[in-house]
Amino acid sequence: MNNALYVDPGITSLPVQAGVPGDLETLETIQQRVLWLSTSMIHHANRIRPNPTGLKVGGHQASCASMVSIMTSLWFEQLQPGDRVSVKPHASPVLHGINYLLGELDEKYLTTLREFGGLQSYPSRSKDPDTVDYSTGSVGIGATAPIWGAMARRYVQTTTGGAGTGRQYSLVGDAELDEGAVWEAILDPGIADLGEVVWIVDLNRQSLDRVIPNIAANRLEKMFDAAGWQVITVKFGKLLEELFTRPGGQALRTRILDMPNPEYQRLLRCSADEVRTRLPGDGPGSTEISGLIAGLDDATLIAAIRNLGGHDLSALTAAYRQIDDTRPTVIIAYTIKGYGLPTQGHPQNHSSLLSVEEYASLAADLGMDPVNPWGRFASDSAAGKRCASNAERLRRDPVPNAPALTIPTDIGRTPKGTATTQAALGRVLLDLTREAPEAAKRVVTVSPDVSSTTNLGGWVNKVGVWSAAERRNWFDDDRETIMHWNERPTGQHMELGIAETNLVGLMGELGATWSRWGQPLFPIGVMYDPFVERALEPWSYGIYAGGQSILVGTPSGVTLAAEGGAHQSIKTPSIGLEQPGCISYEPAFAIDTEWTLLASIGRLGRPDGTSAYLRLSTRPVDQTLAAVPTDPAARERRRRQVVAGGYPLVRRDGAQVTIVAMGAMITEALTAADRLAEQGIPADVVCVTSPGLLFEAIQARQGRGPGDSWILDQLFPADRATPIVTVLDGHPHTLAFLAGINHVRSTCLGVSKFGQVGSLDDVYRYHGIDTDSIVRASLDILP
């Protein structure tokens, strides 16, 4: 059943917050200034600021204009200090204009839109100089971020406290709802409890290229309603609503509602005479409509056809008052793209810019000076007082400094027997609860329905599953149930549905709590490595936005032989190498997993922090092959090497070749070295744990980046330079750069074609990464 609520725009009294003036005329004055400022920022960037290269600067004046009423009403009536807002990417100048009027942005920045070091193209938490709650710009990701922000705030509040309360708003363009990531988030069953989530959809019926013929609010209403959201639709303003009460009004309403989107948009480009001809149509009620509009003067008729609810401040206020804080809410606001500009309603106005003449005409209409466009309101004016009182009301307390937490670097145990790096993950987390309980309380794991198959079962049993409210575990008395799913607000594991984009979106917001509330969390997300690529773009964007997290991809590679090519990852090692703001590791042994995971946790939740990506395996490996030193100093030296990117595992006198292996391939590498030695060909073996860190070390050695290069001397000393054979369960180019350290010959083995199902031996042989292939490559490369 459709539970959409339709707003009565007849409410004209605007006060929502105590002590805030409720004068509609003042709010409309502010709205016009916001329109002017956002338009002027883009105009200056494209028409006035020198552009020696002649390359397009760009900006979206029409997309800004359609959001001005919504954002003015939201900021100047509705928001509280604890609220957070995700602004649709193309409306960033509106946000900057509002912040400027509130005194949060210096005038010098208004001329720097899309300039190096200035205002960013799209809202950025880390790069813009004013308050930006959520970075947006990658369509669909910024829209869903407030959902994960709501979960992160609740998690902090129930575990450490200090996150307070507040709604999480998302301002979304209707075309953005085409993104699958949006609906993955909306449909997740855990979202229905998040009553602080409010979306406002800017339904302007246009995308980049055209008027979209089949966007229908009724369909969107049903989709949100089916997901358990409250739906509020703001269709018409009070002028149209008043006309609907007159004779012929119901016919007019039906005609507008039934009219195809392109036909309605065309009316926006018509003169009054053309509207009188086109609007009645030729269907039932056309005579009544003609009679109704015959009594309207031209100005009223033109205003009426543009009088949609998303531009009516009183209608928007009425919508906000109906928000039900017990479940998520979506407000679908009908708008006109380019509202108030000469380009309004034009089907190709998405990126169009006002001409100098059009800009001057807009200035005249709004009573502004096109030569000096940046004036604020006089402090003693009604608008100036409203801005000042609003700024005071929305002022937030400074974010407190994050508490100092000690993360151990070494648990102190040396694994024995046969183990996998995947199993080591869960073991390290459990060890952390004993060795550093205060730090362990900050760990929150996230998975998309793969907790048990990624060896998190013991951890989940220990810490419980987080949920907004406690739920009974109906299997707690079932002795055959090994994994206990105890859901409560103090749990430290969060599980979403099978949607990797949701998982990394939540990770990004959990990883940003240190900068929002001064409460760092250590989010660790676990998913099957083949699906890392599916999650890569939103995870990368989360890192860009300041969210620090650890992504664990497991199981990985063609080592997952029995699962076939669909579940065998190939490119992920090089993804880890190339991802900005992230250190990637592929440990070979359980002790390597422990050391790299602890080091990665230690880098989270701080201004200079970084994210991490660990690629783990289900292949059992003899742990004695790690040859962990027993001397404490030597052990610490090994640990530092592991964390820095790799370590020498075998050194033989007179080595003629160096076998460089990573992760699951270490067993084949060591066996190949032994077989070569039997033939009188000594071979060194180097275990790489992080190609990315080794590449950064090379850059540092060349003076092209910060950091140390000492690890290169310990792995590849010049006096031991030999030809290199590299091997990994992933694309061979990942390690190809290592030959350049000492300028030696190299052969790179790896996986560069889709996998096959089969035994481990068969699959390794198929890809040429088995022991025989390593031996042959080593013999071939010798002088």
Side-chain angles (χ1 to χ4, degrees):
M1 182 178 179
N2 192 331
N3 293 323
L5 300 176
Y6 294 92
V7 171
D8 177 5
I11 300 173
T12 56
S13 57
L14 295 178
V16 176
Q17 315 297 343
V20 178
D23 178 41
L24 179 59
E25 183 178 351
T26 300
L27 202 61
E28 289 176 340
T29 299
I30 294 172
Q31 173 183 245
Q32 290 184 347
R33 186 64 56 90
V34 172
L35 173 65
W36 170 254
L37 289 171
S38 62
T39 304
S40 296
M41 283 183 236
I42 300 169
H43 181 81
H44 186 279
N46 289 273
R47 304 289 194 197
I48 298 176
R49 192 169 68 213
N51 184 5
T53 66
L55 295 176
K56 174 186 174 182
V57 176
H60 302 84
Q61 290 172 327
S63 294
C64 287
S66 70
M67 287 296 299
V68 164
S69 301
I70 291 171
M71 293 179 66
T72 300
S73 177
L74 188 63
W75 258 264
F76 287 88
E77 291 193 292
Q78 189 66 24
L79 291 185
Q80 294 290 322
D83 297 342
R84 299 290 187 272
V85 187
S86 172
V87 176
K88 80 170 188 177
H90 293 161
S92 62
V94 181
L95 175 62
H96 298 311
I98 289 173
N99 282 339
Y100 172 64
L101 293 178
L102 294 177
E104 287 197 16
L105 185 66
D106 192 279
E107 181 180 320
K108 67 181 181 181
Y109 288 107
L110 300 183
T111 59
T112 67
L113 181 68
R114 300 190 172 210
E115 183 179 68
F116 185 80
L119 298 177
Q120 300 300 296
S121 303
Y122 310 118
S124 172
R125 286 192 72 221
S126 58
K127 294 181 171 61
D128 275 318
D130 52 337
T131 299
V132 175
D133 292 329
Y134 290 99
S135 295
T136 58
S138 188
V139 176
I141 295 174
T144 59
I147 290 177
W148 317 124
M151 293 183 73
R153 188 205 61 76
R154 286 200 184 196
Y155 186 89
V156 169
Q157 190 63 18
T158 57
T159 53
T160 66
T165 60
R167 284 179 178 164
Q168 303 283 334
Y169 291 89
S170 185
L171 310 182
V172 187
D174 51 7
E176 195 165 10
L177 297 179
D178 291 342
E179 284 289 338
V182 167
W183 295 104
E184 287 183 0
I186 291 168
L187 293 173
D188 191 275
I191 306 310
D193 295 329
L194 301 179
E196 63 267 49
V197 171
V198 179
W199 283 27
I200 305 175
V201 178
D202 172 17
L203 192 78
N204 59 47
R205 299 167 301 281
Q206 286 186 236
S207 63
L208 189 150
D209 294 322
R210 61 180 180 141
V211 176
I212 302 174
N214 296 320
I215 281 186
N218 289 341
R219 180 167 60 91
L220 294 176
E221 290 167 4
K222 292 175 182 178
M223 293 169 71
F224 276 101
D225 179 65
W229 289 49
Q230 178 194 22
V231 181
I232 301 171
T233 302
V234 189
K235 286 190 175 182
F236 304 116
K238 57 187 177 184
L239 174 56
L240 267 180
E241 290 286 359
E242 193 277 327
L243 291 179
F244 295 156
T245 66
R246 299 183 186 184
Q250 285 305 309
L252 176 62
R253 183 186 182 96
T254 300
R255 165 73 170 134
I256 293 176
L257 289 175
D258 292 345
M259 190 181 295
N261 289 329
E263 183 180 2
Y264 182 82
Q265 294 290 109
R266 182 64 183 91
L267 289 176
L268 302 176
R269 308 292 300 169
C270 291
S271 66
D273 288 341
E274 291 173 317
V275 171
R276 295 183 193 279
T277 301
R278 291 172 177 260
L279 180 57
D282 54 9
S286 60
T287 302
E288 298 175 68
I289 297 171
S290 296
L292 172 60
I293 64 178
L296 304 178
D297 60 61
D298 288 352
T300 302
L301 178 60
I302 293 296
I305 206 66
R306 290 164 171 73
N307 187 224
L308 299 185
H311 303 300
D312 190 296
L313 296 173
S314 57
L316 291 167
T317 298
Y320 298 145
R321 290 179 180 175
Q322 296 181 56
I323 293 174
D324 175 5
D325 286 324
T326 66
R327 55 179 173 151
T329 295
V330 60
I331 298 172
I332 300 175
Y334 279 60
T335 61
I336 296 171
K337 199 161 189 173
Y339 182 76
L341 301 180
T343 57
Q344 62 182 328
H346 193 287
Q348 280 87 48
N349 68 6
H350 180 80
S351 298
S352 67
L353 300 170
L354 298 188
S355 67
V356 174
E357 293 75 20
E358 288 172 329
Y359 181 70
S361 175
L362 178 67
D365 291 342
L366 299 179
M368 300 303 298
D369 182 354
V371 179
N372 299 295
W374 312 122
R376 283 193 174 99
F377 294 112
S379 59
D380 59 350
S381 66
K385 292 177 181 178
R386 184 71 175 266
C387 290
S389 64
N390 228 65
E392 182 62 30
R393 178 173 58 81
L394 293 177
R395 184 167 291 113
R396 296 171 181 169
D397 294 331
V399 177
N401 293 327
L405 298 168
T406 301
I407 311 297
T409 57
D410 188 349
I411 300 298
R413 185 170 54 241
T414 302
K416 303 185 185 308
T418 300
T420 71
T421 54
Q422 176 177 291
L425 169 68
R427 191 173 301 118
V428 174
L429 292 177
L430 289 173
D431 286 341
L432 193 63
T433 64
R434 293 185 289 269
E435 299 295 323
E438 290 304 312
K441 289 178 182 178
R442 304 272 177 167
V443 173
V444 52
T445 53
V446 190
S447 69
D449 197 33
V450 293
S451 303
S452 58
T453 55
T454 54
N455 285 94
L456 286 181
W459 162 260
V460 172
N461 287 345
K462 174 78 173 178
V463 302
V465 178
W466 183 88
S467 66
E470 188 159 350
R471 298 186 177 125
R472 179 174 177 179
N473 178 9
W474 290 97
F475 291 89
D476 58 3
D477 58 349
D478 186 343
R479 295 182 180 179
E480 295 183 4
T481 301
I482 299 175
M483 190 170 178
H484 305 295
W485 209 254
N486 297 314
E487 298 180 84
R488 53 184 181 264
T490 57
Q492 291 181 245
H493 177 73
M494 306 176 83
E495 183 158 294
L496 303 177
I498 304 176
E500 286 76 13
T501 54
N502 287 352
L503 176 119
V504 296
L506 176 56
M507 286 169 56
E509 290 307 315
L510 291 169
T513 59
W514 64 273
S515 60
R516 293 196 191 280
W517 302 290
Q519 294 291 348
L521 297 176
F522 306 141
I524 301 174
V526 181
M527 68 175 65
Y528 290 172
D529 195 66
F531 307 134
V532 165
E533 291 181 71
R534 185 183 299 174
L536 181 62
E537 196 245 346
W539 185 55
S540 177
Y541 205 85
I543 295 174
Y544 166 82
Q548 300 165 12
S549 61
I550 298 173
L551 178 60
V552 178
T554 184
S556 64
V558 300
T559 299
L560 196 61
E563 293 291 332
H567 274 188
Q568 296 172 359
S569 53
I570 298 172
K571 297 181 288 183
T572 47
S574 55
I575 286 173
L577 167 66
E578 297 163 3
Q579 174 61 47
C582 172
I583 296 175
S584 64
Y585 289 110
E586 185 163 348
F589 299 101
I591 192 69
D592 300 352
T593 305
E594 175 190 311
W595 288 338
T596 54
L597 180 61
L598 292 175
S600 298
I601 293 174
R603 299 188 187 103
L604 299 177
R606 62 192 204 196
D608 61 343
T610 59
S611 294
Y613 163 46
L614 272 64
R615 189 175 189 253
L616 305 184
S617 174
T618 50
R619 184 186 183 183
V621 174
D622 180 1
Q623 298 301 301
T624 62
L625 296 176
V628 180
T630 56
D631 179 81
R635 179 186 176 100
E636 173 59 15
R637 178 174 182 266
R638 167 69 72 84
R639 187 199 68 80
R640 292 180 68 244
Q641 291 173 334
V642 167
V643 172
Y647 53 96
L649 192 52
V650 174
R651 292 293 199 208
R652 287 189 169 94
D653 293 339
Q656 298 178 38
V657 66
T658 299
I659 301 173
V660 180
M662 190 166 76
M665 304 311 306
I666 197 64
T667 299
E668 280 66 28
L670 291 170
T671 303
D674 290 342
R675 285 174 51 179
L676 288 168
E678 292 171 359
Q679 301 176 56
I681 303 173
D684 286 348
V685 178
V686 172
C687 181
V688 168
T689 56
S690 177
L693 288 178
L694 297 185
F695 184 79
E696 289 180 9
I698 293 175
Q699 295 289 88
R701 175 179 283 183
Q702 297 173 348
R704 300 180 186 278
D708 298 319
S709 60
W710 61 268
I711 188 64
L712 301 178
D713 297 324
Q714 296 196 8
L715 268 60
F716 305 103
D719 59 358
R720 297 189 68 87
T722 66
I724 288 178
V725 174
T726 66
V727 59
L728 74 153
D729 185 358
H731 200 282
H733 92 278
T734 307
L735 299 176
F737 68 92
L738 295 176
I741 296 173
N742 290 316
H743 306 287
V744 298
R745 297 174 62 195
S746 68
T747 297
C748 300
L749 306 180
V751 181
S752 55
K753 53 189 174 183
F754 290 116
Q756 295 284 339
V757 69
S759 70
L760 197 63
D761 290 342
D762 289 339
V763 170
Y764 278 7
R765 188 180 305 112
Y766 172 76
H767 290 286
I769 56 176
D770 59 320
T771 301
D772 286 351
S773 297
I774 299 173
V775 171
R776 283 196 299 270
S778 300
L779 294 173
D780 289 343
I781 206 171
L782 292 174

